[in-house]
Amino acid sequence: MTVSPPAALALLSVAEMAGADAATIAAGTPGIVLMEKAGRAVADAVTRRIRPGHRVLVLCGPGNNGGDGFVAARLLAERGCHVTLALAGERAALDADAALAAERWTGAIETSGGVDPARHDVVIDALFGAGLSRPISGETAALIERVNAAGQTVIAVDVPSGVHGDTGLTEGPAVRADETVTFFRLKPGHLLHPGRALCGVLTLADIGIRPEVLFAPGGIAPSAFRNGPALWRSQLPDHATDVHKYGRGVMAIAAGGLSGVGAPRLGARAALRIGAGLATIICRPEALAAHAGRGPDALMQSAAADAAAFEAASTSRKLDAVLIGPALGLDAEACAWVEVALRQGWPCVFDADALTHIGARRPGFADLLSRRSGVAVLTPHEGEFKRLFGEAGGFAAARGKLQRARQAAKQTGAVVVLKGPDTVIAAPDGRGAINETGSSALATAGSGDVLGGVVAGLLAQKMPAFEAACAAVWLHGRAGEELGGGLIADDLPEALPPLLAQLYDDPAGKKKPAP
């Protein structure tokens, strides 16, 4: 089924946002009109925080960001604020709309080197925009350090100066904002760390760019999105009322020995809680009694003494998905199991120890991965990602997390879930999503095993791999938010059914059959 991209969740690169501006101007809206609306949105953000008579420092740069600052300064002065405007650079260097905005400002223009942010109630950062291509240095770097040290409220225009809109990365100093006012659509850098932490509250303002500029024939076609239900809800499993357990999806978890019983069971329980009909743990013979002794939980257990037995056990039944990696082990036998999984065609989630084996045996295992006939999902954290792909070429950290995940997905043919507080999900076709749900409470042993199980459970129910990974990451994060501090990984699968119930409620209040 073809699903239209959710335009409301689109994230625009710096170049795509420039294209949206240009298309709007070409359609008849003057650029100064867009700038006036942007400056008004910034002034409104300030007005929500202070009263007339308060002191506002507006720091303007030489580009369109500076033009937005000039508009905001003029409007705030008209509203009764005491406004000081300081320009980094020469006024003669302003051009086009920024120059026109500066002409409409009738107050004094200070030099940025001589202002003291600490003497103002609010600072507006309109120095540099999202496309800054070099580290900030010299007098402007010193100014940013003074802004951050002053401790006053800071409102950033578009992005905090020093943060790149495509990557969220910083080179040199960057403004630490309490609120960032941006326009039309967010950029990846608003959601990727460290930019995400530097932005403060994000305010998305409408400045008159029509949504139709996105996905129009021959127009801007964003491939990055904020992760949310609108991205994948239509692809959630929708089982008929007469479905049986085999119709709901059969999955297997490749487990290790006796020392690692907990992790695969967490993955299996998560898969069942997300709706899979049956889960089988295939483990070493010495661990079979330990798994069986923990109760059925709609689980089956099967022993495999070696890779050949694992292959026989996994091919003797119809499997809809496999999870391999949690507590699998790092010995040669575990490595052989990973090779079996790489050669088989069932949808597979490679996690934890499986990723270590693949990374240690490049390029051989990576080649097997790229040639798999079935879909694959990789779920590395940053350390595992470096072991898998290194830091050279397309995977250099300076390219940014979204770009690295996309390159990894393209190279391997797998959906890549690059985990962290700003988890990125990337598909081989170039689609990417950045997740916003989650909490620090998820930094607990076994949390990643649960995530792998949720992905596998959705794959077992025939959900497409990219959407399954996005849904799993979002639900996993929401479960962490709902449970809060003190959660342990065992709690996470039990938090999934209420979240699913919310997702399956339709606008009329009727519930679809939930998995």
Side-chain angles (χ1 to χ4, degrees):
M1 179 175 65
T2 302
V3 179
S4 298
L9 292 182
L11 298 171
L12 299 189
S13 69
V14 174
E16 287 169 341
M17 185 63 209
D21 281 337
T24 303
I25 292 169
T29 301
I32 188 61
V33 172
L34 300 178
M35 187 169 285
E36 284 284 336
K37 290 182 177 180
R40 184 174 296 277
V42 174
D44 289 345
V46 174
T47 303
R48 288 192 291 269
R49 292 174 176 265
I50 63 172
R51 297 185 302 276
H54 282 200
R55 295 165 298 177
V56 179
L57 173 61
V58 184
L59 302 174
C60 293
N64 284 343
N65 245 43
D68 297 341
F70 273 101
V71 173
R74 187 189 80 240
L75 295 174
L76 288 168
E78 292 172 358
R79 296 175 189 182
C81 295
H82 296 299
V83 178
T84 300
L85 187 147
L87 178 62
E90 298 296 326
R91 180 168 181 169
L94 298 173
D95 61 8
D97 297 323
L100 182 55
E103 288 178 12
R104 295 176 179 180
W105 166 252
T106 58
I109 298 178
E110 308 287 338
T111 59
S112 59
V115 294
D116 182 4
R119 298 182 61 183
H120 298 80
D121 300 296
V122 173
V123 178
I124 295 177
D125 164 29
L127 289 168
F128 297 105
L132 185 67
S133 59
R134 55 181 174 76
I136 298 172
S137 60
E139 186 177 280
T140 307
L143 173 61
I144 289 175
E145 298 290 359
R146 295 202 305 274
V147 169
N148 290 340
Q152 306 299 83
T153 297
V154 178
I155 309 295
V157 178
D158 195 20
V159 296
S161 292
V163 174
H164 197 284
D166 287 344
T167 66
L169 298 176
T170 62
E171 291 185 67
V175 168
R176 186 171 57 250
D178 297 279
E179 181 176 354
T180 297
V181 181
T182 192
F183 316 109
F184 183 52
R185 294 292 184 271
L186 298 185
K187 299 176 181 66
H190 290 124
L191 303 183
L192 294 169
H193 285 289
R196 182 160 159 179
L198 294 170
C199 283
V201 176
L202 284 170
T203 298
L204 186 61
D206 177 5
I207 59 171
I209 299 175
R210 296 183 62 81
E212 289 77 10
V213 303
L214 302 180
F215 304 111
I220 301 163
S223 57
F225 303 91
R226 302 170 70 178
N227 189 21
L231 192 60
W232 39 262
R233 182 174 175 176
S234 65
Q235 301 278 24
L236 280 174
D238 190 4
H239 300 297
T241 55
D242 60 348
V243 71
H244 51 78
K245 63 177 178 281
Y246 296 103
R248 288 168 64 96
V250 176
M251 67 159 300
I253 301 89
L258 191 58
S259 62
V261 173
R265 290 188 67 85
L266 280 169
R269 190 166 184 83
L272 292 167
R273 283 297 188 193
I274 205 65
L278 184 65
T280 299
I281 292 177
I282 305 175
C283 63
R284 308 283 179 91
E286 68 269 20
L288 186 62
H291 283 294
R294 289 197 173 197
D297 296 330
L299 298 175
M300 297 176 65
Q301 296 85 33
S302 177
D306 54 28
F310 168 59
E311 184 167 14
S314 60
T315 55
S316 65
R317 65 201 74 194
K318 180 184 179 300
L319 291 178
D320 298 298
V322 170
L323 168 63
I324 185 168
L328 180 67
L330 298 175
D331 59 4
E333 190 57 50
C335 181
W337 284 38
V338 173
E339 184 169 358
V340 169
L342 287 168
R343 293 185 183 281
Q344 292 296 327
W346 12 255
C348 193
V349 179
F350 295 90
D351 187 27
D353 293 346
L355 298 176
T356 298
H357 286 296
I358 294 171
R361 286 156 183 82
R362 290 184 294 150
F365 273 13
D367 290 343
L368 286 176
L369 180 62
S370 65
R371 296 199 303 268
R372 284 190 94 243
S373 60
V375 300
V377 178
L378 311 180
T379 58
H381 55 59
E382 281 286 359
E384 291 165 337
F385 188 90
K386 288 179 182 178
R387 290 195 290 274
L388 282 167
F389 301 104
E391 294 186 339
F395 304 110
R399 292 200 71 211
K401 191 169 185 176
L402 177 61
Q403 287 86 339
R404 288 184 292 127
R406 280 173 160 165
Q407 182 66 20
K410 181 179 179 181
Q411 183 180 104
T412 62
V415 170
V416 174
V417 178
L418 182 48
K419 297 185 291 193
D422 52 355
T423 295
V424 169
I425 307 98
D429 62 10
R431 286 176 296 165
I434 304 173
N435 194 61
E436 299 174 78
T437 64
S439 82
S440 59
L442 288 168
T444 186
S447 176
D449 304 319
V450 172
L451 176 61
V454 178
V455 178
L458 291 171
L459 289 179
Q461 298 172 82
K462 307 299 192 294
M463 194 171 182
F466 176 71
E467 287 81 2
C470 288
V473 169
W474 188 90
L475 286 162
H476 183 261
R478 284 288 294 117
E481 293 171 355
E482 289 290 321
L483 292 166
L487 75 83
I488 59 174
D490 300 69
D491 301 328
L492 291 168
E494 314 314 308
L496 293 173
L499 295 173
L500 283 172
Q502 295 172 25
L503 288 172
Y504 278 89
D505 275 340
D506 71 10
K510 299 176 183 177
K511 287 196 175 180
K512 294 181 179 180

